[in-house]
Amino acid sequence: MTDRGRDGPGTGRRLDEADGGDAIELTHNGIETYLRCPRRYEFASVYALDGSDDGPTDDRVDLLRRAICTALASGETDRDGLLETALSTLSSLWDDHDERFHSRAQRRHERQVLEATLRAYVDRVGLDHAGGIERTTSGSLPVDEIVGPSLPVSRTVTVPQSGEKRGVEPGPSNRVLAPESVTVEAEVDYVFRDGPSVVGVRFVPTLAPLGPLRYRSEWDGDVAERFTDHFDPAADVYDPAPVAALLETAVVLDGLRTLRDRLDLGGKTCRYVQVPLADRSKTSVNWVSESVETSLEIADLTDVYVDHHTYGLTHEHRNETVDSRLEAVVGRLVEGAFDPGDRWEQIRGEACPECAYAVCCEERIAAEVRFDG
């Protein structure tokens, strides 16, 4: 993968010289950064300035991700065996975890929270998913083909070249060159068969970035309206995180179809599920007994992404509106369109306050430093 941090170097574009410079790789995280602020993407990916904001939460999610995937790959399918393997792996990883705590009590508490999260995962979906993985690998399929963590999936987007920036051949012929092939990369942590579907699961810190997608079960209605309004400056809607989640879903589902066909997994459709591992809103602590309990809210992004009209015609989980917008965003990104333009005022209010690049952003400086007269 070319991206390991949210806004750090590698969040986007990489030219593959082996393909003559025409094959471009992007990541869904890079696209989210671009949606949040094109200028931030430019600093992170074009100039490779390190502005990553990975913190202890990301590190703890990574510990849980590795512990769960190790348990799923072990072949354990009963609750006690699955949980014991996950807890044992977490214990080994925790011994080498060098996060700085203010006291031993805090370190002990944070470990208890992680252990409670593992129990919640096993009880909520872990057993079902472990059974699905066992059924998927019951033949000769190696488990590491479908259990990660961080299995790469991708979607190829064709961006037609037009105009000077996109490859018009110089000279009187003015011939438009062939479209560029752009690979958009994403990740899932494991894949399994569930009835007629192949399911990809990704562990995330929380579901908060999904916004209304957490509470909706279909595309039609306010999800579709909010998605299209985000790209309409006249609508005064700036909602990059849910929009990025829908674009990510488009990438993941297409990547899962490719994986399904390559590994002959069967299944007619593909689904994409996110599991949050750092949502403290559902955590309760009994300080007397020093015990921690938590629960997990699972998000299946498939149905909220699916355009039912398209599904009725193709019987595939697709969405032409989201897919076409993905192509448009990728096209602008490949063009090098990093000027915030009409979205600047919205970006300034929402994205600038927590942006690591604000001190070197010409738009931000121009807005903050003014002379009267």
Side-chain angles (χ1 to χ4, degrees):
M1 300 299 293
T2 59
D3 174 51
R4 289 299 178 188
R6 180 173 177 178
D7 292 326
T11 51
R13 178 173 182 165
R14 182 172 73 82
L15 295 179
D16 188 347
E17 296 179 357
D19 292 321
D22 289 333
I24 299 174
E25 292 184 3
L26 306 173
T27 67
H28 78 88
N29 282 339
I31 290 176
E32 179 180 2
T33 300
Y34 184 82
L35 290 173
R36 194 167 300 279
C37 176
R39 194 65 74 194
R40 182 187 296 191
Y41 177 90
E42 182 183 24
F43 286 127
S45 297
V46 178
Y47 298 122
L49 298 178
D50 187 4
S52 60
D53 56 0
D54 291 350
T57 296
D58 300 285
D59 293 338
R60 294 171 199 166
V61 169
D62 186 58
L63 293 178
L64 291 172
R65 172 180 286 119
R66 292 158 65 187
I68 292 173
C69 287
T70 298
L72 292 173
S74 70
E76 295 284 357
T77 55
D78 65 278
R79 182 189 184 279
D80 291 342
L82 190 66
L83 181 58
E84 181 180 354
T85 302
L87 290 172
S88 176
T89 304
L90 175 64
S91 178
S92 298
L93 295 172
W94 188 255
D95 289 341
D96 296 327
H97 184 56
D98 61 357
E99 181 180 345
R100 303 182 71 176
F101 297 98
H102 62 67
S103 65
R104 292 182 180 179
Q106 186 196 13
R107 184 178 177 90
R108 183 170 61 252
H109 170 70
E110 293 299 338
R111 176 171 173 171
Q112 286 179 310
V113 172
L114 299 184
E115 291 172 343
T117 304
L118 289 180
R119 289 192 292 271
Y121 166 80
V122 170
D123 291 337
R124 179 71 169 81
V125 294
L127 283 179
D128 290 339
H129 291 188
I133 289 171
E134 182 189 43
R135 291 188 295 273
T136 306
T137 58
S138 58
S140 59
L141 182 66
V143 71
D144 60 1
E145 290 275 17
I146 61 170
V147 178
S150 301
L151 297 172
V153 293
S154 64
R155 174 178 184 141
T156 299
V157 177
T158 300
V159 182
Q161 295 184 358
S162 61
E164 182 179 353
K165 290 186 178 180
R166 299 268 283 280
V168 172
E169 186 178 49
S173 67
N174 202 36
R175 181 172 62 89
V176 178
L177 301 181
E180 288 183 300
S181 176
V182 181
T183 300
V184 182
E185 298 181 333
E187 293 178 343
V188 294
D189 288 304
Y190 59 92
V191 176
F192 67 97
R193 275 289 305 275
D194 183 19
S197 297
V198 173
V199 183
V201 179
R202 179 63 175 166
F203 294 121
V204 296
T206 77
L207 300 180
L210 298 181
L213 304 184
R214 291 176 67 174
Y215 313 109
R216 301 294 186 270
S217 59
E218 61 181 19
W219 161 259
D220 299 316
D222 60 345
V223 172
E225 181 179 352
R226 196 164 184 83
F227 179 86
T228 54
D229 283 351
H230 171 82
F231 296 100
D232 181 4
D236 195 30
V237 173
Y238 173 79
D239 209 2
V243 169
L246 288 166
L247 298 182
E248 177 190 2
T249 302
V251 173
V252 170
L253 290 178
D254 207 55
L256 288 175
R257 294 183 192 106
T258 301
L259 182 68
R260 173 197 63 190
D261 297 341
R262 179 173 67 83
L263 299 179
D264 195 22
L265 297 179
K268 297 180 179 179
T269 58
C270 294
R271 305 189 67 85
Y272 179 43
V273 172
Q274 289 189 352
V275 179
L277 297 180
D279 186 354
R280 297 297 177 93
S281 67
K282 299 182 180 299
T283 300
S284 60
V285 182
N286 186 324
W287 296 106
V288 176
S289 62
E290 294 187 346
S291 61
V292 179
E293 293 184 0
T294 191
S295 60
L296 297 182
E297 173 192 353
I298 311 301
D300 188 328
L301 291 173
T302 315
D303 291 334
V304 74
Y305 160 82
V306 173
D307 181 340
H308 291 290
H309 175 70
T310 302
Y311 181 79
L313 295 175
T314 66
H315 296 288
E316 280 283 4
H317 289 159
R318 297 184 185 274
N319 186 314
E320 292 180 355
T321 302
V322 177
D323 295 352
S324 62
R325 183 54 65 176
L326 175 64
E327 294 176 0
V329 171
V330 169
R332 285 183 54 80
L333 197 154
V334 170
E335 282 183 341
F338 303 130
D339 188 338
D342 295 336
R343 309 309 300 267
W344 166 241
E345 288 302 324
Q346 294 163 315
I347 290 171
R348 178 186 176 189
E350 298 291 334
C352 285
E354 44 81 36
C355 180
Y357 305 105
V359 294
C360 56
C361 174
E362 59 187 83
E363 283 85 7
R364 175 72 172 178
I365 295 172
E368 294 296 318
V369 181
R370 297 179 180 178
F371 296 96
D372 295 332

